[in-house]
Amino acid sequence: MLTVKSVPLPSAIYSRQGLQKMMVTLAQIVREHGEIELAQLSKAPDQTDEQFANFKNEMRTRVFKIAAIATYDDGTSIQGDDPALLDRADETPLLSTFYVSNIQPFKQNLNTEPDERFELFLDFRFPPLFDPDRLVSSPTENYSRLTINGFRGSWEAGIEKAVRSQILRIRPVRTFIHGPFIYDLFLMLLGFPFAFYCCWLLSSEIKRLTTDMHFIVAAGAYTYVALGAVWVYRFLFSYTKWAFPLVELKEQGTRPALHRKVWWGLVALISGKLFWDLVDPLLSLRPLLGLS
């Protein structure tokens, strides 16, 4: 019975060399499957042995093979079945997406899709920093996928193993960060407390500026401060997902690593300020540091 298996791909790190090894392994699996199919063919009555042999060789060369497409962030793409098409993946422009399948060669030559087929798509693009078309609580769309169709269990297992074996590292924490309603969870745990902290931090200044004004003005000032703090939280949350993408290529880790340093710097700055303001009154750190 024909089965269709959709394999969820987790947040993970791949390497250029690993993708090239994956292409070699997938091509070998497709060739082996092709030999099984060719062994079941019978020579036509009007074919000579040489013609039949040439036909099978042509099928091996043109039909039972893989086709890959590497797309780069400058809009260019490279197609083919040679793993060397990924040799640019550690340079600029950066690799945006990688697609490999055995469907195209088969369909181009026989005008139909093979029963045993697979499609692998890896998306190395960064999510938008601010996406007005999606709810902020929505999960990050994971376009990376592996789909396998076939009658034989060994076909499915071989394709899946060839893909999973080239994953350098799985990132479960990133899967969690990019999940649904994580924004809302940390809004309650961090966002609103940060807003209250900002209101407390600026309370003296707000009182000084609104002493002779109606209390509504002071309430409005606190509201704006709280909303501003929530917007800062929203920026940091979006920046977190941008700096820690779902799928990464090891050779292209320079740009994410740079933004992760910036992210850690922002977190350290805010955390340090919070620690100073909240712990200093309790531990009296100022005299110890020689500060008045």
Side-chain angles (χ1 to χ4, degrees):
M1 182 178 67
L2 179 66
T3 60
V4 180
K5 185 176 184 180
S6 180
V7 181
L9 295 177
S11 176
I13 296 179
Y14 298 83
S15 70
R16 176 178 59 83
Q17 186 178 17
L19 295 181
Q20 291 175 322
K21 289 181 179 178
M22 184 192 301
M23 288 182 64
V24 173
T25 305
L26 291 173
Q28 179 63 31
I29 295 173
V30 172
R31 281 195 300 269
E32 291 174 354
H33 168 70
E35 292 301 324
I36 296 175
E37 295 290 322
L38 292 174
Q40 299 173 359
L41 294 179
S42 300
K43 186 179 66 173
D46 58 344
Q47 273 185 323
T48 65
D49 290 340
E50 183 180 358
Q51 288 174 333
F52 187 52
N54 290 337
F55 170 74
K56 291 197 293 185
N57 287 333
E58 185 177 0
M59 292 281 285
R60 293 186 182 98
T61 303
R62 300 177 58 184
V63 176
F64 295 109
K65 58 187 294 187
I66 63 171
I69 304 174
T71 304
Y72 294 85
D73 64 358
D74 64 348
T76 60
S77 62
I78 303 176
Q79 304 182 32
D81 61 351
D82 187 350
L85 64 85
L86 288 168
D87 284 343
R88 297 174 62 197
D90 56 350
E91 304 172 358
T92 55
L94 301 179
L95 181 66
S96 296
T97 62
F98 174 68
Y99 173 84
V100 61
S101 173
N102 69 322
I103 296 176
Q104 287 76 11
F106 195 99
K107 189 173 183 179
Q108 287 173 359
N109 290 277
L110 301 180
N111 294 320
T112 186
E113 294 186 351
D115 291 331
E116 267 81 17
R117 59 186 183 269
F118 75 91
E119 288 184 285
L120 170 66
F121 180 78
L122 296 177
D123 187 1
F124 298 105
R125 293 171 295 183
F126 287 86
L129 192 55
F130 288 107
D131 189 352
D133 297 324
R134 295 179 61 84
L135 293 175
V136 69
S137 299
S138 301
T140 303
E141 195 70 38
N142 186 2
Y143 295 104
S144 298
R145 66 186 186 277
L146 172 63
T147 305
I148 310 171
N149 293 42
F151 288 99
R152 297 184 293 117
S154 59
W155 163 263
E156 294 182 2
I159 295 295
E160 184 173 353
K161 181 180 179 181
V163 174
R164 290 191 179 275
S165 64
Q166 298 305 327
I167 295 178
L168 291 183
R169 190 181 307 165
I170 294 178
R171 300 282 198 177
V173 174
R174 295 193 190 185
T175 302
F176 173 77
I177 292 174
H178 288 267
F181 302 110
I182 301 303
Y183 172 86
D184 304 271
L185 172 64
F186 284 100
L187 179 64
M188 297 298 296
L189 296 177
L190 299 176
F192 286 149
F194 179 67
F196 293 144
Y197 164 75
C198 290
C199 290
W200 168 79
L201 188 65
L202 297 175
S203 59
S204 298
E205 192 66 20
I206 292 175
K207 289 178 182 178
R208 184 182 66 82
L209 295 174
T210 60
T211 300
D212 300 327
M213 301 181 185
H214 197 277
F215 76 93
I216 290 294
V217 178
Y222 282 114
T223 301
Y224 270 96
V225 170
L227 290 175
V230 170
W231 270 96
V232 170
Y233 160 75
R234 179 174 179 178
F235 168 78
L236 286 175
F237 181 81
S238 299
Y239 191 60
T240 300
K241 295 204 295 184
W242 198 81
F244 298 88
L246 276 171
V247 182
E248 271 190 278
L249 192 67
K250 184 183 73 172
E251 289 80 4
Q252 297 181 170
T254 302
R255 185 166 68 175
L258 174 62
H259 287 284
R260 283 194 282 272
K261 290 179 181 178
V262 174
W263 184 87
W264 280 113
L266 292 173
V267 170
L269 181 65
I270 295 174
S271 301
K273 177 61 176 172
L274 281 167
F275 177 83
W276 180 266
D277 289 335
L278 298 180
V279 178
D280 177 59
L282 300 176
L283 300 181
S284 300
L285 296 177
R286 291 179 181 271
L288 295 176
L289 297 176
L291 300 175
S292 58

